[in-house]
Amino acid sequence: MKHIRKITLLCLILSILVLTSCGVTIHEGIGEGDAMDKSNNVTWYHASTCYEAVTLAEKAGKLIVKDRELVLYALPQMDPGKWLATEDANILYAEGVTLPTLRDMEPTALNFYLDGTAKYKLFELKEEALLNTIIKDYSENQSVLYPASTPYKTYCVRFASETYPDLYYTLTYVEYASDYIIGDANYGKYFLYDRFDQKFVPVGDEIHKAIGIE
């Protein structure tokens, strides 16, 4: 009986240790733009909002910003010593990590949503040649000034990748009713927009044709 009680007590102690363990603790200075894991002397950085966690795994630590404390989560298939995410699916990455470009991610699908918080997927594009064209346009075309006119249609679009299965590359698809013209330059009606870096890139009409917007 005493032996059983000792085992039970040991299990209880181990359970408490597991529950009270909070993983990595990262402190962020206000306005400094990065954060420090003081125990390991590792600097962490916030990725742009283009990068979004697909799924959150177990709790892996906390981010302390002044008097606020945010829970940090691991990503299912990525090293928690290099990649973490907040509850809002925002990505943090450790020093030494290089963020992949959209082209680096080699997306295999482009998913459309009404807005960034919606979970209901409206459309999905998976045709390889079409994706390659869209990625090429966004990667190589020059960004232009975001126009003041109201778009005809906007969708949140998330590029999904098998190379980086835990990350989305998230942009806004913007479509206008008429061509966007600056001087002698006609940029067309169709654009992909990176809100974080204010990158507004004209793309072809392939997306418009593929999802059949009326």
Side-chain angles (χ1 to χ4, degrees):
M1 181 66 71
K2 289 183 179 180
H3 182 63
I4 293 175
R5 286 179 179 174
K6 287 181 180 179
I7 294 175
T8 303
L9 180 60
L10 178 60
C11 291
L12 178 61
I13 292 172
L14 290 174
S15 298
I16 292 172
L17 288 174
V18 169
L19 290 172
T20 56
S21 174
C22 59
V24 65
T25 299
I26 301 173
H27 294 265
E28 181 176 342
I30 299 296
E32 294 179 6
D34 52 51
M36 177 65 72
D37 171 9
K38 297 178 181 178
S39 62
N40 296 310
N41 198 33
V42 175
T43 302
W44 287 78
Y45 303 95
H46 291 276
S48 89
T49 51
C50 287
Y51 299 92
E52 184 181 357
V54 175
T55 304
L56 301 179
E58 68 276 2
K59 293 179 181 179
K62 56 188 176 181
L63 174 65
I64 298 175
V65 185
K66 199 176 179 180
D67 57 349
R68 295 182 62 213
E69 186 174 300
L70 305 174
V71 176
L72 294 175
Y73 297 84
L75 301 175
Q77 302 179 65
M78 301 181 82
D79 183 352
K82 297 180 179 179
W83 300 89
L84 292 169
T86 66
E87 184 177 355
D88 295 330
N90 296 319
I91 299 295
L92 281 79
Y93 62 100
E95 60 181 305
V97 171
T98 300
L99 288 174
T101 65
L102 177 60
R103 184 169 271 165
D104 291 338
M105 288 182 66
E106 301 177 326
T108 52
L110 176 55
N111 301 318
F112 288 73
Y113 304 79
L114 281 178
D115 58 60
T117 60
K119 299 300 181 184
Y120 178 69
K121 185 165 60 178
L122 300 173
F123 316 106
E124 182 178 60
L125 305 180
K126 299 187 73 172
E127 202 273 311
E128 184 178 0
L130 173 60
L131 287 174
N132 288 341
T133 298
I134 295 168
I135 293 164
K136 182 177 185 294
D137 284 348
Y138 182 74
S139 300
E140 298 181 7
N141 290 350
Q142 183 177 359
S143 177
V144 299
L145 181 67
Y146 194 103
S149 56
T150 302
Y152 173 63
K153 292 282 186 180
T154 61
Y155 294 101
C156 171
V157 293
R158 294 182 172 104
F159 290 86
S161 165
E162 293 178 1
T163 306
Y164 291 85
D166 291 330
L167 296 180
Y168 283 132
Y169 197 96
T170 303
L171 298 169
T172 302
Y173 173 69
V174 181
E175 180 169 325
Y176 288 92
S178 58
D179 289 352
Y180 177 33
I181 299 173
I182 302 178
D184 295 330
N186 186 337
Y187 297 104
K189 303 176 183 177
Y190 317 108
F191 300 83
L192 285 174
Y193 181 38
D194 170 0
R195 294 178 183 274
F196 185 86
D197 289 320
Q198 297 294 296
K199 185 178 178 182
F200 192 68
V201 181
V203 294
D205 63 355
E206 286 82 8
I207 294 176
H208 172 84
K209 290 178 179 178
I211 64 178
I213 295 177
E214 297 296 336

